Each structure stands twice: as C-alpha cells, then as structure tokens.
Amino acid sequence: MEQVAKPWPALWSLVIGFFMILIDSTIVSVANPRIMEGLNADINAVIWVTSAYLLAYAVPLLITGRLGDRFGPKNLYLSGLVVFTLASLWCGLSGDVGMLIAARAVQGFGAAMMTPQTMAVITRIFPPDRRGAAMGLWGATAGMAILVGPILGGVLVDGLGWEWIFFVNVPIGLIGFLLVTRFVPSLATHSHKFDIPGVVLSAVGMFLLVFGIQEGQTYHWGTVVGPVTVWGLIIAGIVVLGLFVVWQRILERRGGEPLLPLGLFKERNFSLGNATIMAVGFTITAFPLPTIFYYQVVRGLTPTQSALLMIPMAVISGVMAPFVGKLIDRVNPRWFAAFGLVCLSVALFWTGALLTPDTPIWMFLLPSALQGVANGFIWGPVSNATTRNLPPRQAGAGSGVFNTTRQIGAVLGSAAIASLIQARLAAELPALPGGAPVGEGTGGGQLPEVLHAGFSTAMAQSVLLPAFAILLGAVAALLFGKPKAIQDWGAQAPGPQAADTGAADAGAADDASAAAPK
C-alpha cells in the first residue's frame, strides 16, 4: 500500500468531482422536455444529449485508467476536471441541439479522464481490510449522485432554466480543483504502453452498436442510407467489438500491454463484478426516462415536482450506504449486493404497475423508498467485491475496466430505452407515430386526456426493460466467491518513479494481512 498521511481528505476531495460527473449522467433526464421545447428538438435528438455524454465517457475509460497509472492519478484527474468544467460552460451557452450534443461529448471525455482515478486512489491508499469504509463512501457518492441529479435538475430547470444544470458545474469544478491540488498526493507512477489499435476498435464498435440500437426506430429498423441498414450497423458493431477482444488476446500472448487486460478476468469476482455493474449501469440510466416523461407529460408535474418524488430514494440511499460500507469488510459482500439488486428490480416492477393515468401521486413515494434501500446495498458491496484483490500496479487498469463496463451498460441502457419508448409510443398512440406526442404540441406539459392511457401504458411497458435487466445483475452477484485474504499488501507496491509527496512512514499494522470476510 502507498500510505498517505491523511487519506480521507484526499478521498473527499476526489469525491466532489466524482459526484459532479455522475450527476451529469442523470441530471438531463428531468430537463429533457424543457430542452426539447427550448431548442425545438424531437425526442430522439434530445436523448442523444445524454447518449453523446455517455458514449464519450465510456469509450476512453480503459486508456484513461492506464494514463492515470503512467502520469499519476492526480495529474490526470485535474486535467479532466478542467476539460469537464469548460465543456459544462459550453453546454449552457449552446444555442441549438447539435451544439449541445457536441459540448456534451467533450464533457463526457473530461469525465472519462477523472473517473478511474478515484477508484485507483482508493485501491492504492487503503489496504484491503480497511477499504470497505472508503468503498462505502464511493458507493454512497455514486448512488446519491444518480438520485440527486434529477432532483437538483428539477430545481434548477424550474428556477433558472435548463442551461443552469450545466452552469452549476463551473463553481463546483473550481472548488474541486483547489481541494484536489491541496489534499491529494502525487502517487507513484508505472510505465505503460498504449494500445492504439485497441482504442480505435473499441471506439468504432461501441459507436456502431449504440447508434444502431438508438436510431433503429427512427429508421424503422431498415435502411439508414444507401446499403447501410440499422441491423447492419448493429451486427458490424458486435463484430468489431469481437475483433477488439481477439486483438487484446493476441497482444497479451505476444507479451504486449493490451488496453483491456483480459488476465484480470481470471479472477472470478472481478468478472462477476463487471457483469453486475454493467447491469446496474444499464438500469439506472434507463429507468428514470419513462417515469420522468410520465410525471411531466401525463400528470403535468413540473420538473421540480417530478424530481421530488425521488427524495425517499436519495435520503434512504445516503443513510444506508455508509452503514453497509462498514460491514462489508467483515461479511461477504455477495449477500448485500444480491439483496440490493433484487430490491431494485421489485421497486421497478412496482413503479411500472403504478404508471396509470389515475394513480395517486403519493403512491410513487413507496417504490422510491425501496429503490433507496436497494441503492444503499448495491454500490459499495459490488465495487468492493470486484476490486478487493487488485494489486497496486493494476489499480488503474482494474478501475478503468470496472468503470468502463458500468458506462457501457449506461450507454446501452440509454440507447435501448430510447428505442423502446419510441416503439411503444408508436404502438400505443398510432395516430401520432414515432413518439411525437412527447414533444409536439405539449411544450413539455400535459397531453390531451384522450392520450393519457396509451402514453402511460407505453411508459409502463418501457420500465419493464430495466426491471428485468437488473435481475441479471442479481444472478451474477449471487455467484460471487468468498473474498480472498490479501497477503503482504504493502510489499506489492513497486517503488515510485515519481515523488510521492503524501507518503508517510509505513507502519507494521498496515502491512498486516487482510482478513477475508466470512
């Protein structure tokens, strides 16, 4: 372990920026109707505002994790924070939806530079047997950000306008920059080669797959242009991603350094943890969209009112996550993770059943509370079980893979829910095909009453997708093995190649073996 004199202030400083970039994964969902109105955009264009961010966030994560190892997590985090903050300002100043999508893509790239560094620092400055509380904070931050995003977005959209969901990042970014500069040490760096062909293959494959899924309904699952078809794009994306995996294997066998270290997946819990977090990323990105549209378009709630229905979720999650984090060093995190994932699935099925035109609004607070319990049990246990056995040299790579799979899930969730919503609107409201009722003639407000039942049914059917997806994550979590004891953690870290300004004298207690949870 690379000890620092004050690891907790360092972690808290990084968490501020981590919280901000995760908020931006969900904050736009509550503002979508207002963005559509303000920029005269349709539903598919405005969903690309989120998808562009998620795609630009997901694709570089593998290499930015390695860059953090090579140049130091602090340096890369600060560089990403500058890019993210400036791109946020650009988002708020955008005058049309195309400009906003471009700005969101740059913002996503800045987020990709920052995210792996947070988990890498946790892995490197906290020993495995003391990492539970740190992962609990990381998990609470992830869960709270995803829930607070829509609430904060609602308040800002109603009070100041949709642009302020981006402008608010500027002062937060400045504060985060100062705190990281002050409290985060410059940790040891490790030499890495960079797999440029792997970067190209992963980027092209992801773009083709996501574009095909999200735009499928727009092109009626047929021809896009000339000989290019929707299904051709999807199949090509899968093939290119397959070639990416094959190239990684070849590079590994030649003794090179692949972008995706396939050797990490020999560890059972790392493989299962990545499958689980992909299902989580898919679900938490997909489920808010149909519910927010239902609240605002069918029930006529303001962005703030619709976001306030998530308060039980945010409060309970924030209370539960640190408590669970303190326990996962002593109890197998499998049971916590599986319980939380099942609770989330139940909450989503419950929400879907309530999406009718005449359900009393207060009833949505009940599944919201259950979602809060679920989130409190998901993030810390899953992340801790996945990364517990990673040695310091692989901290950046492992963190990059873990965050990449979460973001790939989020990208696919965003694309899939957009396609499903359009398909179900076309089926349930045949007089207004392609989902037009969401943006045309509503101004982000209520539909004519005659359309309420069909719209509600379409949204209820759409919620079933993330509800089933998260059950797959629960199955993966139940297969977690008992975490292994880590021997001689302090001896695993190689000598620094750069000054470790936060290093403290090593204590015998910190070199002790980590006891495995029961």
Side-chain angles (χ1 to χ4, degrees), residues 10 16 21 79 97 104 120 139 144 240 246 279 289-290 361 466 477-478:
I16 291 174
I21 60 181
S79 300
V97 71
R104 284 281 280 170
M144 284 292 291
V240 173
V246 171
L289 195 62
I361 287 296
L478 281 172

Side-chain angles (χ1 to χ4, degrees), residues 61-72 76 116-117 190 192-194 257-261 264 393 396-398 400:
L61 278 171
L62 290 171
I63 196 168
T64 56
R66 291 298 183 88
L67 287 170
D69 284 341
R70 176 64 184 87
F71 298 107
L76 207 69
Q117 319 316 325
H190 310 290
H192 287 292
K193 297 178 181 178
F194 297 108
E257 195 161 2
L259 182 63
L260 178 65
L264 289 173
R393 183 176 176 81

Side-chain angles (χ1 to χ4, degrees), residues 49-221:
V49 173
T50 296
S51 293
Y53 175 83
L54 293 174
L55 192 60
Y57 190 175
V59 171
L61 278 171
L62 290 171
I63 196 168
T64 56
R66 291 298 183 88
L67 287 170
D69 284 341
R70 176 64 184 87
F71 298 107
K74 177 178 180 177
N75 293 331
L76 207 69
Y77 183 95
L78 289 174
S79 300
L81 185 57
V82 170
V83 172
F84 184 91
T85 304
L86 292 177
S88 297
L89 181 62
W90 181 15
C91 288
L93 296 174
S94 298
D96 60 71
V97 71
M99 185 68 71
L100 179 58
I101 290 171
R104 284 281 280 170
V106 176
Q107 192 186 39
F109 180 72
M113 296 174 70
M114 297 165 63
T115 298
Q117 319 316 325
T118 309
M119 277 190 69
V121 168
I122 294 175
T123 306
R124 293 171 66 174
I125 68 176
F126 289 92
D129 58 337
R130 299 181 187 177
R131 201 178 293 157
M135 284 295 186
L137 173 61
W138 185 91
T141 302
M144 284 292 291
I146 288 161
L147 305 176
V148 168
I151 297 173
L152 178 61
V155 173
L156 292 173
V157 169
D158 278 342
L160 298 171
W162 66 264
E163 298 89 346
W164 283 89
I165 65 176
F166 303 112
F167 288 149
V168 72
N169 291 333
V170 176
I172 297 175
L174 291 173
I175 293 170
F177 188 93
L178 294 174
L179 290 176
V180 170
T181 301
R182 170 68 179 84
F183 292 111
V184 176
S186 297
L187 298 174
T189 59
H190 310 290
S191 297
H192 287 292
K193 297 178 181 178
F194 297 108
D195 175 21
I196 302 302
V199 173
V200 174
L201 288 172
S202 63
V204 171
M206 280 298 298
F207 179 80
L208 292 173
L209 182 61
V210 171
F211 186 88
I213 293 173
Q214 182 157 315
E215 297 292 321
Q217 185 65 24
T218 301
Y219 295 102
H220 306 290
W221 300 97

